[in-house]
Amino acid sequence: MTNRRELLALAVGAVTMARGLRAQQKAMPVIGFLSSGRPGALAPRLAAFRHGLSETGYVEGQNVAIEYRWAEGRFERLPELAADLVGRKVDVIATSGGDFTAFAAKNATSLIPIVFLATGDPVEEGFVASLARPGGNLTGVTFIGVELWGKRVELISELVPETKALAALMNPDFPGAERNTRAVQEAARAKGLQLRILGAASESEIDAAFTSLVDLQARALLIGAPNFLGRREQIVALAARYAIPRSMTGANTSLLAA
């Protein structure tokens, strides 16, 4: 009996010690930050993110840690990066870069809370059960960007009233690309404009797309951001080089210029 009591006492002590060690090892909550973009391109948004945390009493490095994972425009890396955050047992995952990033986090865990920034309808995409009662482990903000394509066509028409033909740059690998394509086609048709959809994902494909604008005689360009979150600098430089008025809006960037 004594031996049993001693063993039980040791077991209880070991469990208590293990809990204590875990508490010491993770005394600071950890946020997983998952993005499809690059750190440099998201510097202003990161500053705003940290500022928002500070307003609720959390300061990075003092009472909260942040694990960053950057896909740098390579969407195929997002599932691996999301799984890595889950493996590190972060307390919450914040996603940036649109629906694809939120999908990757959602598929990686059904337990860790996820805060997403989406461009589409989160109910239609299957992120949440409803806007009023999200349910599950996801919640966040959406711009329902597909609804804005018609307005963007109107704005580019006002910016370049002589426009008879325009192009839309879409990343075919991005979730929602087909839905956004239909929306811009309907908007262009309503305005009586010729429209050419240019599919591109890589740096070289984006270069080729801009070169083709000359042959297409397109006078304006719509850009399906955040499809090209990691390519913003390249796109802005090319648009300036070819003097193409462009409208580029989305969860992580906003640009309308001639």
Coordinates of all heavy atoms in Angstrom, one line a residue, residues 107-184:
N107 N -8.1 24.8 -43.5 CA -7.9 23.4 -43.8 C -6.8 22.8 -42.8 O -6.7 21.6 -42.7 CB -7.4 23.2 -45.2 CG -8.5 23.5 -46.2 OD1 -9.7 23.4 -45.9 ND2 -8.1 23.9 -47.4
A108 N -6.0 23.7 -42.2 CA -5.0 23.2 -41.3 C -5.4 22.9 -39.9 O -4.8 22.1 -39.2 CB -3.8 24.2 -41.2
T109 N -6.5 23.6 -39.4 CA -7.0 23.3 -38.1 C -8.5 23.7 -37.9 O -9.0 24.6 -38.6 CB -6.2 24.2 -37.1 OG1 -6.7 24.0 -35.8 CG2 -6.3 25.7 -37.4
S110 N -9.1 22.9 -37.1 CA -10.5 23.2 -36.7 C -10.6 23.6 -35.3 O -11.7 23.7 -34.7 CB -11.4 21.9 -37.0 OG -11.0 20.8 -36.2
L111 N -9.5 23.7 -34.6 CA -9.4 24.0 -33.2 C -8.9 25.4 -32.9 O -9.4 26.1 -32.0 CB -8.6 22.9 -32.4 CG -9.2 21.5 -32.6 CD1 -8.2 20.5 -31.9 CD2 -10.6 21.4 -32.0
I112 N -7.8 25.7 -33.5 CA -7.2 27.0 -33.2 C -8.0 28.2 -33.8 O -8.4 28.1 -35.0 CB -5.7 27.1 -33.8 CG1 -4.9 26.0 -33.2 CG2 -5.1 28.5 -33.6 CD1 -3.5 25.9 -33.8
P113 N -8.3 29.2 -33.0 CA -9.1 30.3 -33.6 C -8.4 31.0 -34.8 O -7.2 31.2 -34.7 CB -9.3 31.3 -32.4 CG -9.1 30.4 -31.2 CD -8.1 29.3 -31.6
I114 N -9.2 31.3 -35.8 CA -8.6 32.0 -37.0 C -9.3 33.3 -37.2 O -10.6 33.3 -37.2 CB -8.7 31.1 -38.2 CG1 -7.9 29.8 -38.0 CG2 -8.3 31.8 -39.5 CD1 -8.3 28.7 -39.1
V115 N -8.6 34.4 -37.4 CA -9.2 35.7 -37.8 C -8.7 36.0 -39.2 O -7.5 36.1 -39.5 CB -8.7 36.8 -36.9 CG1 -9.3 38.1 -37.3 CG2 -9.0 36.4 -35.4
F116 N -9.7 36.0 -40.1 CA -9.3 36.2 -41.6 C -9.7 37.6 -42.1 O -10.5 38.3 -41.5 CB -10.0 35.1 -42.4 CG -11.5 35.2 -42.4 CD1 -12.3 36.1 -43.1 CD2 -12.3 34.3 -41.5 CE1 -13.6 36.1 -43.1 CE2 -13.6 34.3 -41.5 CZ -14.3 35.2 -42.3
L117 N -9.1 37.9 -43.2 CA -9.4 39.1 -44.0 C -9.7 38.6 -45.4 O -8.8 38.1 -46.1 CB -8.2 40.1 -44.0 CG -8.5 41.4 -44.7 CD1 -9.6 42.2 -44.1 CD2 -7.2 42.2 -44.7
A118 N -11.0 38.6 -45.8 CA -11.4 38.0 -47.0 C -11.9 39.0 -48.0 O -12.4 40.1 -47.6 CB -12.4 36.9 -46.8
T119 N -11.9 38.7 -49.3 CA -12.4 39.6 -50.3 C -13.8 39.2 -50.8 O -14.5 40.0 -51.3 CB -11.4 39.7 -51.5 OG1 -11.2 38.4 -52.0 CG2 -10.1 40.3 -51.1
G120 N -14.1 37.9 -50.6 CA -15.4 37.4 -51.1 C -16.4 37.3 -50.0 O -16.2 37.8 -48.9
D121 N -17.4 36.5 -50.3 CA -18.5 36.3 -49.3 C -18.1 35.2 -48.4 O -18.0 34.0 -48.9 CB -19.8 36.0 -50.1 CG -21.0 35.9 -49.1 OD1 -20.8 35.5 -47.9 OD2 -22.1 36.0 -49.6
P122 N -17.8 35.4 -47.1 CA -17.3 34.3 -46.3 C -18.3 33.2 -46.1 O -17.9 32.1 -45.8 CB -17.0 35.0 -45.0 CG -17.8 36.2 -45.0 CD -17.9 36.7 -46.4
V123 N -19.6 33.5 -46.2 CA -20.6 32.4 -46.1 C -20.6 31.6 -47.3 O -20.6 30.3 -47.3 CB -22.0 33.1 -45.9 CG1 -23.1 32.0 -45.8 CG2 -22.1 33.9 -44.6
E124 N -20.6 32.2 -48.5 CA -20.5 31.5 -49.8 C -19.3 30.6 -49.9 O -19.3 29.5 -50.4 CB -20.6 32.4 -50.9 CG -20.6 31.8 -52.3 CD -20.7 32.8 -53.4 OE1 -21.4 33.9 -53.3 OE2 -20.1 32.6 -54.5
E125 N -18.2 31.2 -49.4 CA -16.9 30.5 -49.5 C -16.8 29.3 -48.5 O -15.9 28.5 -48.5 CB -15.7 31.5 -49.2 CG -15.6 32.6 -50.2 CD -15.1 32.1 -51.6 OE1 -14.8 30.9 -51.7 OE2 -15.1 32.9 -52.5
G126 N -17.7 29.3 -47.5 CA -17.7 28.2 -46.5 C -16.8 28.5 -45.3 O -16.6 27.6 -44.5
F127 N -16.4 29.8 -45.1 CA -15.6 30.1 -43.9 C -16.5 30.1 -42.6 O -16.0 29.6 -41.6 CB -15.0 31.5 -44.1 CG -14.0 31.6 -45.2 CD1 -13.7 32.7 -45.8 CD2 -13.2 30.4 -45.5 CE1 -12.8 32.8 -46.8 CE2 -12.3 30.5 -46.5 CZ -12.1 31.7 -47.2
V128 N -17.7 30.7 -42.8 CA -18.6 30.8 -41.6 C -20.0 30.4 -42.0 O -20.3 30.3 -43.1 CB -18.6 32.3 -41.1 CG1 -17.2 32.7 -40.6 CG2 -19.1 33.2 -42.2
A129 N -20.8 30.1 -40.9 CA -22.1 29.6 -41.1 C -23.0 30.8 -41.5 O -23.9 30.7 -42.4 CB -22.7 29.0 -39.9
S130 N -22.8 32.0 -40.9 CA -23.5 33.2 -41.2 C -22.7 34.4 -40.8 O -21.8 34.2 -39.9 CB -24.9 33.2 -40.6 OG -24.8 33.4 -39.2
L131 N -23.1 35.6 -41.2 CA -22.4 36.7 -40.8 C -22.7 37.1 -39.4 O -21.8 37.6 -38.6 CB -22.7 37.9 -41.7 CG -22.3 37.8 -43.2 CD1 -22.8 39.1 -44.0 CD2 -20.8 37.6 -43.3
A132 N -23.9 36.8 -38.9 CA -24.3 37.1 -37.6 C -23.8 36.1 -36.6 O -23.4 36.5 -35.5 CB -25.8 37.2 -37.5
R133 N -23.7 34.8 -37.0 CA -23.3 33.8 -36.1 C -22.2 32.9 -36.9 O -22.6 31.9 -37.5 CB -24.4 32.9 -35.6 CG -25.5 33.7 -34.8 CD -26.6 32.8 -34.4 NE -27.6 33.6 -33.7 CZ -27.6 33.9 -32.4 NH1 -26.6 33.5 -31.7 NH2 -28.6 34.6 -31.8
P134 N -21.0 33.3 -36.8 CA -20.0 32.6 -37.6 C -19.9 31.1 -37.3 O -19.8 30.3 -38.2 CB -18.7 33.4 -37.3 CG -19.1 34.7 -36.9 CD -20.4 34.5 -36.2
G135 N -19.9 30.8 -36.0 CA -19.7 29.4 -35.6 C -18.3 28.9 -35.9 O -17.5 29.7 -36.4
G136 N -18.0 27.7 -35.5 CA -16.7 27.1 -35.8 C -15.6 27.9 -35.2 O -15.7 28.6 -34.1
N137 N -14.4 27.9 -35.8 CA -13.2 28.5 -35.2 C -12.7 29.7 -36.1 O -11.6 30.2 -35.9 CB -12.1 27.5 -35.1 CG -11.6 27.0 -36.4 OD1 -12.4 26.6 -37.3 ND2 -10.3 26.8 -36.6
L138 N -13.6 30.2 -37.0 CA -13.2 31.3 -37.9 C -14.1 32.5 -37.7 O -15.3 32.4 -37.5 CB -13.3 30.9 -39.4 CG -12.1 30.1 -40.0 CD1 -12.2 28.7 -39.6 CD2 -12.1 30.3 -41.5
T139 N -13.5 33.7 -37.7 CA -14.2 34.9 -37.7 C -13.3 35.9 -38.4 O -12.1 35.7 -38.6 CB -14.6 35.4 -36.3 OG1 -15.5 36.5 -36.5 CG2 -13.4 35.8 -35.5
G140 N -13.9 37.1 -38.8 CA -13.0 38.0 -39.5 C -13.7 39.1 -40.2 O -14.9 39.5 -39.8
V141 N -13.1 39.7 -41.2 CA -13.6 40.9 -41.9 C -13.6 40.5 -43.4 O -12.7 39.8 -43.9 CB -12.7 42.1 -41.7 CG1 -13.2 43.3 -42.5 CG2 -12.6 42.4 -40.2
T142 N -14.6 41.0 -44.1 CA -14.7 40.8 -45.6 C -15.1 42.1 -46.3 O -15.8 42.9 -45.7 CB -15.7 39.7 -45.9 OG1 -15.7 39.6 -47.4 CG2 -17.1 40.0 -45.5
F143 N -14.5 42.3 -47.4 CA -14.8 43.4 -48.3 C -15.9 43.1 -49.3 O -16.4 44.0 -50.0 CB -13.6 44.0 -49.0 CG -12.6 44.6 -48.0 CD1 -11.5 43.8 -47.5 CD2 -12.6 45.9 -47.7 CE1 -10.6 44.3 -46.7 CE2 -11.7 46.4 -46.8 CZ -10.7 45.6 -46.3
I144 N -16.2 41.8 -49.4 CA -17.1 41.3 -50.5 C -16.8 42.0 -51.8 O -17.6 42.6 -52.4 CB -18.6 41.5 -50.1 CG1 -18.8 41.0 -48.6 CG2 -19.5 40.7 -51.0 CD1 -20.3 41.0 -48.2
G145 N -15.5 41.9 -52.1 CA -14.9 42.6 -53.2 C -15.6 42.4 -54.6 O -15.5 43.3 -55.4
V146 N -16.2 41.2 -54.8 CA -16.9 41.0 -56.1 C -17.9 42.0 -56.4 O -18.2 42.3 -57.6 CB -17.4 39.5 -56.1 CG1 -18.6 39.4 -55.2 CG2 -17.8 39.2 -57.5
E147 N -18.6 42.6 -55.3 CA -19.6 43.6 -55.5 C -19.1 44.9 -56.1 O -19.8 45.7 -56.6 CB -20.3 43.8 -54.2 CG -20.9 42.6 -53.6 CD -22.0 41.9 -54.4 OE1 -22.6 42.6 -55.2 OE2 -22.2 40.7 -54.2
L148 N -17.8 45.1 -56.0 CA -17.2 46.4 -56.3 C -16.7 46.4 -57.8 O -16.2 47.5 -58.2 CB -16.0 46.7 -55.4 CG -16.4 46.8 -53.9 CD1 -15.1 47.1 -53.1 CD2 -17.4 47.9 -53.6
W149 N -16.7 45.3 -58.5 CA -16.1 45.3 -59.8 C -16.9 46.3 -60.7 O -16.3 47.0 -61.5 CB -16.2 43.9 -60.4 CG -15.0 43.1 -60.0 CD1 -15.0 42.1 -59.0 CD2 -13.7 43.1 -60.4 NE1 -13.8 41.6 -58.8 CE2 -12.9 42.1 -59.7 CE3 -13.0 43.9 -61.4 CZ2 -11.6 41.9 -59.9 CZ3 -11.7 43.6 -61.6 CH2 -11.0 42.7 -60.9
G150 N -18.2 46.3 -60.6 CA -19.0 47.3 -61.4 C -18.6 48.7 -61.2 O -18.4 49.5 -62.1
K151 N -18.4 49.0 -59.9 CA -18.0 50.4 -59.6 C -16.6 50.7 -60.1 O -16.3 51.8 -60.6 CB -18.0 50.6 -58.1 CG -17.8 52.0 -57.6 CD -18.8 53.0 -58.1 CE -18.6 54.4 -57.6 NZ -19.6 55.3 -58.2
R152 N -15.7 49.7 -60.1 CA -14.4 49.9 -60.6 C -14.4 50.2 -62.1 O -13.6 51.0 -62.6 CB -13.5 48.7 -60.2 CG -13.3 48.6 -58.7 CD -12.5 47.3 -58.4 NE -11.2 47.4 -59.0 CZ -10.4 46.3 -59.1 NH1 -10.8 45.1 -58.6 NH2 -9.2 46.4 -59.6
V153 N -15.2 49.5 -62.8 CA -15.3 49.7 -64.3 C -15.8 51.1 -64.5 O -15.4 51.8 -65.4 CB -16.3 48.7 -64.9 CG1 -16.6 49.1 -66.4 CG2 -15.6 47.3 -64.8
E154 N -16.8 51.6 -63.7 CA -17.3 53.0 -63.8 C -16.2 54.0 -63.6 O -16.1 55.0 -64.3 CB -18.5 53.2 -62.9 CG -19.7 52.4 -63.2 CD -20.8 52.7 -62.2 OE1 -20.7 53.7 -61.4 OE2 -21.8 52.0 -62.2
L155 N -15.4 53.7 -62.5 CA -14.3 54.7 -62.2 C -13.3 54.8 -63.3 O -12.8 55.8 -63.6 CB -13.7 54.3 -60.9 CG -14.5 54.5 -59.6 CD1 -13.8 53.9 -58.4 CD2 -14.8 56.0 -59.4
I156 N -12.9 53.6 -63.8 CA -11.9 53.6 -64.9 C -12.4 54.3 -66.1 O -11.7 54.9 -66.9 CB -11.4 52.2 -65.1 CG1 -9.9 52.3 -65.7 CG2 -12.3 51.4 -66.1 CD1 -8.9 52.6 -64.7
S157 N -13.7 54.2 -66.4 CA -14.4 54.8 -67.5 C -14.4 56.3 -67.3 O -14.2 57.1 -68.3 CB -15.8 54.3 -67.7 OG -15.8 52.9 -68.0
E158 N -14.6 56.8 -66.1 CA -14.5 58.2 -65.9 C -13.1 58.8 -65.9 O -12.9 59.9 -66.4 CB -15.1 58.5 -64.5 CG -16.6 58.2 -64.4 CD -17.2 58.4 -63.0 OE1 -16.4 58.9 -62.1 OE2 -18.3 58.1 -62.8
L159 N -12.2 58.0 -65.5 CA -10.8 58.4 -65.5 C -10.2 58.5 -66.9 O -9.5 59.4 -67.3 CB -9.9 57.3 -64.7 CG -8.4 57.6 -64.6 CD1 -8.2 58.9 -63.8 CD2 -7.7 56.4 -64.0
V160 N -10.7 57.5 -67.8 CA -10.2 57.5 -69.2 C -11.5 57.4 -70.1 O -11.9 56.3 -70.5 CB -9.3 56.3 -69.5 CG1 -8.6 56.5 -70.8 CG2 -8.2 56.2 -68.4
P161 N -12.2 58.5 -70.2 CA -13.5 58.5 -70.9 C -13.5 58.0 -72.4 O -14.5 57.5 -72.9 CB -14.0 59.9 -70.8 CG -12.8 60.8 -70.6 CD -11.9 59.9 -69.8
E162 N -12.3 58.1 -73.0 CA -12.2 57.7 -74.4 C -12.0 56.2 -74.5 O -11.9 55.6 -75.6 CB -11.0 58.4 -75.1 CG -9.6 58.0 -74.6 CD -9.2 58.8 -73.4 OE1 -10.1 59.4 -72.7 OE2 -8.0 58.9 -73.1
T163 N -12.0 55.5 -73.3 CA -11.7 54.0 -73.3 C -12.8 53.3 -74.0 O -14.0 53.4 -73.7 CB -11.6 53.5 -71.9 OG1 -10.5 54.2 -71.3 CG2 -11.4 52.0 -71.9
K164 N -12.4 52.5 -75.0 CA -13.4 51.6 -75.7 C -13.0 50.1 -75.4 O -13.9 49.2 -75.5 CB -13.3 51.8 -77.2 CG -13.7 53.2 -77.6 CD -15.1 53.5 -77.2 CE -15.5 54.9 -77.6 NZ -16.9 55.3 -77.1
A165 N -11.8 49.9 -75.0 CA -11.3 48.5 -74.7 C -10.5 48.6 -73.4 O -9.7 49.5 -73.2 CB -10.5 48.0 -75.8
L166 N -10.7 47.6 -72.5 CA -9.9 47.5 -71.3 C -9.6 46.1 -71.1 O -10.1 45.2 -71.6 CB -10.7 48.2 -70.1 CG -12.0 47.6 -69.7 CD1 -11.9 46.4 -68.8 CD2 -12.8 48.7 -69.0
A167 N -8.6 45.9 -70.2 CA -8.2 44.5 -69.9 C -8.2 44.3 -68.4 O -8.3 45.3 -67.6 CB -6.7 44.3 -70.3
A168 N -8.3 43.1 -68.0 CA -8.4 42.8 -66.5 C -7.3 41.7 -66.3 O -7.3 40.7 -67.0 CB -9.7 42.3 -66.1
L169 N -6.4 42.0 -65.4 CA -5.4 41.0 -65.0 C -5.8 40.2 -63.9 O -6.1 40.7 -62.8 CB -4.1 41.8 -64.6 CG -2.8 41.0 -64.4 CD1 -2.4 40.3 -65.7 CD2 -1.7 41.9 -63.9
M170 N -5.9 38.9 -64.1 CA -6.4 37.9 -63.1 C -5.3 36.8 -62.9 O -4.7 36.3 -63.8 CB -7.7 37.3 -63.5 CG -8.8 38.3 -63.7 SD -9.5 38.8 -62.1 CE -10.9 39.8 -62.7
N171 N -5.2 36.4 -61.6 CA -4.4 35.2 -61.3 C -5.3 34.0 -61.3 O -6.1 33.8 -60.4 CB -3.7 35.4 -60.0 CG -2.8 34.2 -59.6 OD1 -2.9 33.2 -60.2 ND2 -2.0 34.4 -58.6
P172 N -5.2 33.1 -62.3 CA -6.2 32.0 -62.4 C -6.0 31.0 -61.3 O -6.9 30.2 -61.0 CB -5.8 31.3 -63.7 CG -4.3 31.7 -64.0 CD -4.2 33.1 -63.4
D173 N -4.9 31.1 -60.5 CA -4.7 30.1 -59.4 C -5.4 30.6 -58.1 O -5.5 29.9 -57.1 CB -3.2 30.0 -59.1 CG -2.5 29.3 -60.3 OD1 -3.1 28.6 -61.0 OD2 -1.3 29.6 -60.4
F174 N -5.9 31.9 -58.1 CA -6.4 32.5 -56.9 C -7.9 32.1 -56.8 O -8.7 32.2 -57.7 CB -6.3 34.0 -57.0 CG -6.6 34.7 -55.7 CD1 -5.6 34.8 -54.8 CD2 -7.8 35.3 -55.4 CE1 -5.8 35.5 -53.6 CE2 -8.0 35.9 -54.3 CZ -7.0 36.0 -53.3
P175 N -8.3 31.7 -55.5 CA -9.7 31.4 -55.3 C -10.6 32.6 -55.6 O -10.3 33.7 -55.2 CB -9.8 31.0 -53.8 CG -8.4 30.6 -53.5 CD -7.5 31.4 -54.3
G176 N -11.7 32.4 -56.3 CA -12.6 33.5 -56.6 C -12.3 34.1 -57.9 O -13.0 35.0 -58.4
A177 N -11.2 33.7 -58.6 CA -10.8 34.3 -59.9 C -12.0 34.2 -60.9 O -12.3 35.1 -61.7 CB -9.6 33.7 -60.5
E178 N -12.6 33.0 -61.0 CA -13.7 32.8 -61.9 C -14.9 33.7 -61.6 O -15.5 34.3 -62.5 CB -14.1 31.3 -61.9 CG -15.2 31.0 -62.9 CD -15.6 29.5 -62.9 OE1 -14.8 28.7 -62.4 OE2 -16.6 29.2 -63.5
R179 N -15.2 33.8 -60.3 CA -16.3 34.7 -59.9 C -16.0 36.1 -60.2 O -16.9 36.8 -60.7 CB -16.5 34.5 -58.4 CG -17.5 35.4 -57.7 CD -17.4 35.3 -56.2 NE -16.0 35.8 -55.8 CZ -15.4 35.4 -54.7 NH1 -16.0 34.5 -53.9 NH2 -14.2 35.9 -54.4
N180 N -14.8 36.6 -60.0 CA -14.4 38.0 -60.3 C -14.4 38.2 -61.8 O -14.8 39.3 -62.2 CB -13.0 38.3 -59.7 CG -13.0 38.4 -58.2 OD1 -14.1 38.5 -57.6 ND2 -11.9 38.2 -57.6
T181 N -14.0 37.2 -62.5 CA -14.0 37.4 -64.0 C -15.4 37.6 -64.5 O -15.7 38.5 -65.4 CB -13.4 36.1 -64.7 OG1 -12.0 36.0 -64.3 CG2 -13.5 36.2 -66.2
R182 N -16.4 36.8 -64.0 CA -17.8 37.0 -64.4 C -18.3 38.4 -64.1 O -19.0 39.0 -64.9 CB -18.7 35.9 -63.8 CG -18.5 34.5 -64.3 CD -19.6 33.6 -63.9 NE -19.8 33.6 -62.4 CZ -19.2 32.7 -61.6 NH1 -18.4 31.8 -62.1 NH2 -19.5 32.7 -60.3
A183 N -17.9 38.8 -62.9 CA -18.4 40.1 -62.4 C -17.9 41.3 -63.3 O -18.6 42.2 -63.7 CB -18.0 40.4 -61.0
V184 N -16.6 41.2 -63.7 CA -16.0 42.3 -64.5 C -16.5 42.2 -65.9 O -16.7 43.2 -66.6 CB -14.5 42.3 -64.4 CG1 -13.9 41.1 -65.2 CG2 -13.9 43.6 -64.9

